[in-house]
Amino acid sequence: MSSLTESAPTRVAGPSRTVPGRLRRLLRGPSADPAWARPALLVLLAATAVLYLWDPTGRGWANSYYAGAVQSGTQDAKAFFFGSVDAANFITVDKPPASLWLMAISGRIFGFTSWSMLLPQAIAGVATVALLAATVRRWHGPAAGLVAGAALAVTPVAVLMFRYNNPDALLVLLLVLAAWATTRAVEQGRIGWLLLAGSAIGFGFLTKMLQAFLVLPALAVTYLVAAPVSLRRRLGHLVAGGAVMTVAAGWWVTVVELWPAADRPYVGGSEDDSVLGLTLGYNGLGRILGGDGNGVGGAQGGGGELPAGMQLPAGVELPAGVELPAGGPAGMSGATGIGRMFGDAIGGQVSWLLPAALVALVLGVWLGGRAPRTDRVRASALLWGGWLLVTAAVFSFMEGIFHEYYTVALAPAIAALVGVGGRELWVRRETLSARVGLAAMVAATAAWGYVLLDRTPDWYPALRYVLAGLGVVAVVGLLLPRRRALRLSVVGLVVALATGVLGSAAYAVQTASSTRSGPIPTAGPGGGGGFPGGGAELTEMMARMFPGGRLPAGFPEPPAGGGGMPGGEVRTDDAVAELLHGTTTAWAAAVVSSSNAASLQLAGGRPVMGLGGFTGSDPAPTLAEFQRHVADGDVRYFIAMGGLGGAMPGAPSADASPNAGGPMATSASVSDITDWVSSTFASTTIGGQTVYDLTKEKN
C-alpha cells in the first residue's frame, strides 16, 4: 500500500512535466537551429495570419460565382460532390470542386457566411508560407527559409488570393506540398515521399485542372538528377509517383464520367457535358491556343481580339485607324510575349522580386556547376528554377483566357529562389563574386521596384525614392569586403532585406486593407475584381487593352448601365430577393449565366438556374429541356438581367446575332429560351429587373 501511495504522484506529475517540455521544444525548434529561428518563424506566421484574416467580412462574397457554389454545397450533398452552382444541381462551376469542398465544409461547421467561406483560404495561405519556409530550411538553413516565407507572405497577388474564394489558394498550397515532399524524397531516395508529391499534384488537378501539372517537369527532373539512388530506381519511383498522381486526379473524373448524365448536373464550361472535354478544351488547349470559349475572332474594326467571347457593346465602334493590340484575350492581362510578367497588368502583382530570383537562379546553376550529382544548391535551382521558368513561359505565351491573379502560382518559386540565392551568396561573401552577386540581386530589386512604384505615381510618391535610396546603401554595404567593414556589411544585408520587401509589402498592405470583389481581382492600388457598374468600369477594362492603359483619342464611351461581368457582384434588389425567397419550386428562377444565378441565389437563399453556364455560352439546357422544366413546375420565374451578364429576352436569336442582347455571346439554345420566354409569358418590373412569371402566359 505504501509503494502504491508513493508511486501515484509520479504518474500524475509526469504528463504535467511533459506538456511544458513539448511546448518548449515547439517554441525552441530543432536544437541544431539558432535560438532565434523558431521564434522568428512563429512571428512571421502570426503576422501572415493577421494580414490574410484582416477584415474578412469587408470582402463580401468575393467572387459570387464560387460563393454561390459554396452555398449550394452547404445545402445539398450532390451539389457538394459535383461542385454545382445551384443546390438543385442544374450545372457545375467550370472547375473541379476541391477548393469548394474545403469552403463548404467550413460553412457546414460554422454556418454559411463570408467569414466561414474565406477562413479556409487564409488558413491555406498561412500553411503555404510555413511549408515553403520549412522546405527551403531543410537544405539551406533557417535564415533562407524565413526569407522565402516572408517574401511569399507579402507578395501582393498572394495576399489577394489567400483572402479570396478562387481555387488558386488551395492550388498553391498543394504545389508547395508537392515540392516539400519532393525534397524529402531527394534526401533519402524514398518512394513514399514521391508518392505523397504525386498525390498532392493529383489533388491540384482536382482544384484547377492542368495548371497543376506545370510544376511536374521541375519535380521530376530534380528527383531524377539529385536522388541518392540508382538511375533504375529513380525512374521506377517516378513511374510510381505518376501512377499515384493519376489515381488522385482521376477518381473524381471517373465517377463523374460514369454517373448517368440525366442524374447529375451539366459539366459547366464544356461543350459536351464531359469533364474530359472541359479538361482538354476550355481549361486545356483552349487556354494555351485560344478558342473553345477562350476567345473569338478579330474584334470589330480592329486587328486584335476582345476577351473570351466579348464584342464591343451595341453602338460602340472603334474609330478609324484604331486597332486592338494583338494577342486576343491576352489584352486584359498584357500582350503575349516574353515581357508579359513585367508588363503594366502583371508587374505589380508578382514581379517585385522576379529580377532578383532570375539572378539567383543563374548564380545557383553556376555555384553547382562542378558539384556532385546530389548537390543541394543545384537541386534547388532545378526545383524552383524549373517551376518558375516553365510556369512563367506558359503564362507569358498562352493565347487563351489569362488573368493577373493566375500569377500567384509563380510566387513560391520566386520567393524560394531569393531565399536560397541570398543565403548561399551570403555564406560565400568573402569572395568578390559572391558580394557582386548579392549586390546585383539588391540592385535589380531596387531598380525594378522603383519602376513598379512609378506606375502608380499618385500613390505615396515618395516611396519609390526611399526604395532607391535603400538600394544604394545596401549595394555599397554588400560590396565592402568583410574583413575591412563587417558592420557595414551586416548593415548592407539588413538594408537589402528591407529593400526586397518594401514595395511588395506596401502593395500587400494596401490590398489587405481595401475591398476586392468580382471575377477578376487584382492586387495593389486601383485593384478591383469585376465590372458590376457597367459603363465606367467597362471603360476601364477596355482601356487596359491598349498600350499604356489609356483609350485612344476619339474612342467612344461605352453606355452606362447595369449588368455585370460574369462572376461579379450583381446588385440584387431587396424586392427581387424577397420574391425568390418565397418560392417553393426546385429553382426559384432562371437567368442567363451561372454568375448571375449565383448572385441571385446568394441574395434570395434559393436555387437559381443559370442558363448557359458561366458566360451563357454553354449549350445547356436545350429549349425542349427548359420547356419541360417549366411544364413540370420546376422553375417559377425568369429574370432578365442585361449587360455583360447575358442576353435580354426578345433579342434576336444566336443564329442571327451571336452576341444578341449584350457583349457576351450566348449559345443558340439559350437565345431560343429567352425568345420563347419573352413571347409566351407575362412580365413585370421588380426592383428595376424584368421578371417573367412562368406560371402566367400572356393573354
Side-chain angles (χ1 to χ4, degrees):
M1 179 67 68
S2 175
S3 62
L4 291 175
T5 304
E6 293 172 357
S7 63
T10 303
R11 294 194 186 100
V12 173
S16 66
R17 289 194 298 268
T18 300
V19 172
R22 290 175 179 172
L23 181 61
R24 283 195 300 271
R25 287 194 296 272
L26 174 66
L27 297 177
R28 170 60 178 83
S31 58
D33 285 355
W36 53 262
R38 180 56 60 86
L41 176 63
L42 295 176
V43 169
L44 170 63
L45 297 182
T48 303
V50 171
L51 187 63
Y52 293 172
L53 287 168
W54 183 264
D55 190 24
T57 58
R59 286 163 273 166
W61 295 118
N63 188 338
S64 60
Y65 178 61
Y66 293 120
V70 174
Q71 178 193 45
S72 299
T74 65
Q75 297 172 344
D76 181 80
K78 183 183 287 188
F80 174 89
F81 178 78
F82 288 106
S84 301
V85 178
D86 57 289
N89 292 291
F90 166 65
I91 198 166
T92 71
V93 297
D94 57 7
K95 301 290 186 295
S99 66
L100 301 176
W101 290 341
L102 293 184
M103 292 183 281
I105 289 172
S106 177
R108 286 175 177 260
I109 294 173
F110 300 108
F112 176 65
T113 62
S114 173
W115 176 86
S116 68
M117 178 183 67
L118 296 175
L119 177 63
Q121 308 295 85
I123 292 175
V126 176
T128 302
V129 170
L131 200 54
L132 181 67
T135 304
V136 173
R137 172 198 162 277
R138 291 193 67 83
W139 288 357
H140 304 282
L146 282 171
V147 170
L152 172 62
V154 298
T155 299
V157 72
V159 176
L160 175 71
M161 283 292 99
F162 290 127
R163 294 170 53 86
Y164 222 71
N165 60 344
N166 284 23
D168 301 75
L170 177 60
L171 174 67
V172 173
L173 173 60
L174 290 169
L175 297 184
V176 175
L177 174 61
W180 175 78
T182 299
T183 61
R184 300 296 301 269
V186 167
E187 290 174 2
Q188 304 171 0
R190 299 283 293 274
I191 190 174
W193 292 113
L194 208 59
L195 299 183
L196 175 59
S199 299
I201 296 297
F203 275 94
F205 176 88
L206 295 184
T207 303
K208 212 176 177 190
M209 289 194 159
L210 295 182
Q211 187 180 332
F213 293 167
L214 294 181
V215 303
L216 274 179
L219 303 183
V221 169
T222 302
Y223 187 80
L224 189 62
V225 170
V229 293
S230 68
L231 177 61
R232 181 177 180 180
R233 291 186 66 184
R234 279 176 272 156
L235 290 172
H237 291 174
L238 287 173
V239 171
V244 169
M245 179 192 72
T246 302
V247 172
W251 69 269
W252 181 82
V253 176
T254 302
V255 171
V256 175
E257 292 295 307
L258 294 178
W259 201 292
D263 192 40
R264 62 163 171 79
Y266 185 93
V267 178
S270 69
E271 296 184 355
D272 57 357
D273 193 17
S274 163
V275 177
L276 293 177
L278 177 64
T279 302
L280 298 176
Y282 177 72
N283 282 333
L285 295 179
R287 298 279 172 155
I288 304 298
L289 305 176
D292 288 324
N294 281 271
V296 294
Q300 301 163 334
E305 297 174 353
L306 286 169
M310 289 184 64
Q311 290 188 353
L312 295 176
V316 176
E317 296 182 358
L318 290 174
V322 174
E323 292 189 353
L324 293 175
M332 288 182 63
S333 301
T336 57
I338 195 170
R340 193 182 204 182
M341 297 300 101
F342 298 94
D344 290 346
I346 302 297
Q349 307 298 303
V350 75
S351 73
W352 296 88
L353 291 171
L354 182 53
L358 293 174
V359 172
L361 175 58
V362 172
L363 293 174
V365 173
W366 174 70
L367 289 173
R370 297 183 179 180
R373 177 177 63 82
T374 57
D375 178 67
R376 299 290 169 79
V377 175
R378 184 199 293 115
S380 287
L382 290 173
L383 175 61
W384 303 112
W387 176 332
L388 174 62
L389 294 179
V390 172
T391 305
V394 172
F395 286 172
S396 295
F397 292 96
M398 61 190 289
E399 297 182 356
I401 293 175
F402 174 74
H403 297 310
E404 294 95 326
Y405 65 82
Y406 294 1
T407 57
V408 68
L410 297 173
I414 293 172
L417 285 170
V418 170
V420 171
R423 186 266 179 185
E424 294 303 325
L425 291 173
W426 177 253
V427 299
R428 295 169 172 82
R429 63 190 180 276
E430 291 288 358
T431 66
L432 177 61
S433 59
R435 295 198 301 276
V436 170
L438 273 173
M441 290 178 64
V442 175
T445 299
W448 183 239
Y450 182 94
V451 172
L452 291 177
L453 289 170
D454 195 52
R455 291 177 179 176
T456 53
D458 296 330
W459 186 77
Y460 293 102
L463 193 60
R464 59 186 183 273
Y465 300 110
V466 173
L467 181 62
L470 289 174
V472 172
V473 173
V475 168
V476 171
L478 292 171
L479 286 176
L480 290 173
R482 181 187 175 191
R483 62 181 179 275
R484 295 182 180 177
L486 175 60
R487 291 182 179 178
L488 286 178
S489 183
V490 173
V491 168
L493 175 64
V494 173
V495 177
L497 293 174
T499 303
V501 301
L502 178 61
S504 181
Y507 263 46
V509 171
Q510 193 281 336
T511 300
S513 60
S514 57
T515 301
R516 299 291 192 278
S517 65
I520 313 175
T522 55
F531 309 96
E537 295 183 65
L538 178 57
T539 301
E540 179 183 347
M541 180 199 73
M542 296 291 293
R544 289 169 57 194
M545 300 179 67
F546 292 86
R550 295 180 178 85
L551 291 175
F555 192 91
E557 292 285 332
M565 190 70 172
E569 292 286 348
V570 177
R571 298 176 179 88
T572 302
D573 186 85
D574 290 343
V576 175
E578 185 177 351
L579 181 74
L580 299 178
H581 186 72
T583 61
T584 58
T585 50
W587 291 278
V591 65
V592 176
S593 94
S594 296
S595 53
N596 284 336
S599 295
L600 288 170
Q601 70 184 30
L602 287 168
R606 297 274 296 123
V608 176
M609 178 183 290
L611 307 180
F614 179 61
T615 65
S617 60
D618 293 353
T622 65
L623 175 60
E625 289 169 341
F626 186 75
Q627 288 173 331
R628 185 167 60 250
H629 282 303
V630 173
D632 292 341
D634 295 335
V635 189
R636 177 61 191 273
Y637 299 107
F638 186 103
I639 300 179
M641 303 181 72
L644 294 175
M648 291 288 291
S653 67
D655 293 335
S657 172
N659 288 278
M664 294 305 303
T666 55
S667 66
S669 61
V670 171
S671 292
D672 289 342
I673 290 170
T674 60
D675 290 343
W676 176 69
V677 167
S678 63
S679 63
T680 306
F681 297 98
S683 66
T684 187
T685 300
I686 301 176
Q689 300 288 354
T690 302
V691 178
Y692 292 79
D693 188 336
L694 300 183
T695 65
K696 298 179 180 179
E697 296 189 8
K698 287 183 177 179
N699 295 328

